[in-house]
Amino acid sequence: MIGRQSRIVDRALTRLKLRQLRLLVAVGVHGNIQNAARELGISQPAATKMIQDLELDFEVKLFDRTNRGAVPTVFGETLIRHGRLIFAQVSNAAQELDDLNEGNSGRVVVGTLLAASTSLIPATIDILLAERPNVAVKIIEGTNKVLMPALLSGEIDMVVGRLPSHRHRDKIKQEKLFEDRILAVVGAQHPLVNLADVSFSQIKPFGWIVPPLETTLRRQVDHFFVKQQQYAPKVTIESVSYLTNRALLQMRDLIGLMPSEVVSPDIADGRLALLDWTVPFGHGPIGVSLRADDELSPAGRAFKAALRQAAEARLS
């Protein structure tokens, strides 16, 4: 096994070309060799020969030829994934060199989930810029469904927010920063604002703002509703846009489920009000997720260090 691996590694280092990987990734995108060859500006026979050479070098079958086109085998999917990661890293290197040439002290691309977007990430950037005022920072907001594949493909350096509980755990490493909890919040005008010890039966007549279906919190919400005699809200709005959610809560008598880390400043300022109902689900760790087999750039390491400082300041 070791001899075979050494043989393949030697071939990859001496014979593998980026053009072959570009073709491999293109076939994965288009689902057929003809369109992939056209994208790269080469003939179909030349493209077929390049793939055959790859299969010989790696000693595996990369594609199954079917009436639907070229379908990647498990080996093909693996090599395509690594090919995308290589191209993402090359792109990141070029961008970082350009940033350095423009006078920036490196670049970091961070994915943020809702739980980190309103206070933790801004506090981190404030600390980072105090130490590295010329660093280039790019923030991408989304859900784990969008951000984790981008992390694994190398498009972003890390994801900050609620740590995923099951998906992608074997491909990423995680660092917990602190625990967060989910609060039930409403607008200041809501009929339940001044009531103490609100019961779920009092909540049931109102509509809800909930996270999207692919999130862990939404699964917990739906499970809870099912246990409440198959409760179905009369109005359900799916949204991870905090600005939209806040405006809706201020305009209509809805109930929102928000991370404490996100909503606490608006509760303190009176823009929103905390409902006196303890949410029986949704507690979880806030932290940072990174690729398990990757090393951060100097700017990435500086961002992560600033993230730890911001989290510690929050706990102190």
Side-chain angles (χ1 to χ4, degrees):
M1 178 64 71
I2 295 177
R4 179 175 181 272
Q5 180 184 5
S6 177
R7 183 172 65 250
I8 293 174
V9 169
D10 183 65
R11 289 175 187 168
L13 292 175
T14 58
R15 298 172 57 176
L16 182 64
K17 298 178 178 63
L18 288 180
R19 191 171 181 80
Q20 288 176 301
L21 286 181
R22 284 185 61 198
L23 174 64
L24 192 69
V25 172
V27 175
V29 171
H30 292 288
N32 65 74
I33 296 175
Q34 182 178 2
N35 289 343
R38 186 180 299 116
E39 179 183 315
L40 269 66
I42 59 177
S43 68
Q44 183 171 342
T48 301
K49 178 64 165 56
M50 289 169 66
I51 290 175
Q52 289 173 344
D53 289 343
L54 278 172
E55 291 179 327
L56 286 173
D57 287 343
F58 284 97
E59 301 180 13
V60 292
K61 186 177 183 181
L62 298 175
F63 294 96
D64 288 321
R65 278 69 169 179
T66 70
N67 56 4
R68 294 178 296 161
V71 179
T73 65
V74 63
F75 304 108
E77 290 177 349
T78 299
L79 197 54
I80 287 171
R81 175 168 55 83
H82 283 285
R84 286 174 174 158
L85 183 58
I86 288 171
F87 289 123
Q89 296 289 35
V90 170
S91 177
N92 290 343
Q95 180 65 66
E96 190 167 339
L97 290 174
D98 188 53
D99 289 333
L100 291 170
N101 191 48
E102 294 293 324
N104 295 326
S105 58
R107 177 182 181 85
V108 59
V109 183
V110 179
T112 176
L113 303 165
L114 177 62
S117 61
T118 60
S119 57
L120 181 60
I121 291 293
T124 299
I125 294 175
D126 184 52
I127 294 171
L128 178 68
L129 292 179
E131 299 174 355
R132 300 170 69 107
N134 295 322
V135 71
V137 181
K138 181 177 181 180
I139 302 296
I140 301 174
E141 188 174 35
T143 63
N144 272 322
K145 183 178 181 180
V146 174
L147 296 179
M148 286 301 167
L151 173 67
L152 294 175
S153 69
E155 297 171 61
I156 58 180
D157 298 308
M158 66 189 79
V159 175
V160 182
R162 183 66 65 94
L163 295 177
S165 58
H166 52 93
R167 295 182 64 193
H168 311 293
R169 289 291 294 272
D170 58 330
K171 300 174 184 176
I172 61 175
K173 56 183 177 182
Q174 300 176 331
E175 180 178 325
K176 175 183 171 181
L177 298 171
F178 54 83
E179 285 283 330
D180 194 32
R181 60 195 181 100
I182 298 299
L183 303 178
V185 293
V186 295
Q189 81 293 338
H190 198 284
L192 299 180
V193 164
N194 296 318
L195 292 183
D197 196 19
V198 175
S199 67
F200 186 72
S201 61
Q202 291 172 298
I203 293 174
K204 289 173 68 173
F206 299 95
W208 293 70
I209 301 175
V210 296
L213 286 170
E214 66 268 17
T215 62
T216 299
L217 179 57
R218 177 59 183 276
R219 289 190 290 272
Q220 293 173 335
V221 172
D222 289 347
H223 181 67
F224 174 75
F225 284 171
V226 168
K227 290 173 62 178
Q228 307 304 311
Q229 299 176 334
Q230 303 288 327
Y231 167 70
K234 65 176 183 179
V235 176
T236 301
I237 299 170
E238 292 185 11
S239 171
V240 292
S241 169
Y242 182 65
L243 293 178
T244 298
N245 295 349
R246 185 174 68 182
L248 284 170
L249 290 171
Q250 291 172 328
M251 289 189 299
R252 304 190 64 87
D253 293 338
L254 299 169
I255 296 169
L257 295 172
M258 308 284 179
S260 172
E261 178 72 10
V262 172
V263 77
S264 292
D266 279 332
I267 293 175
D269 291 343
R271 293 189 182 95
L272 297 175
L274 177 64
L275 199 63
D276 190 15
W277 177 65
T278 300
V279 180
F281 52 82
H283 302 317
I286 302 297
V288 56
S289 299
L290 306 102
R291 288 183 296 277
D293 56 353
D294 199 16
E295 181 69 27
L296 289 173
S297 67
R301 290 196 296 271
F303 187 95
K304 188 180 175 185
L307 184 63
R308 290 196 191 103
Q309 290 183 48
E312 289 169 2
R314 177 193 177 278
L315 295 172
S316 61

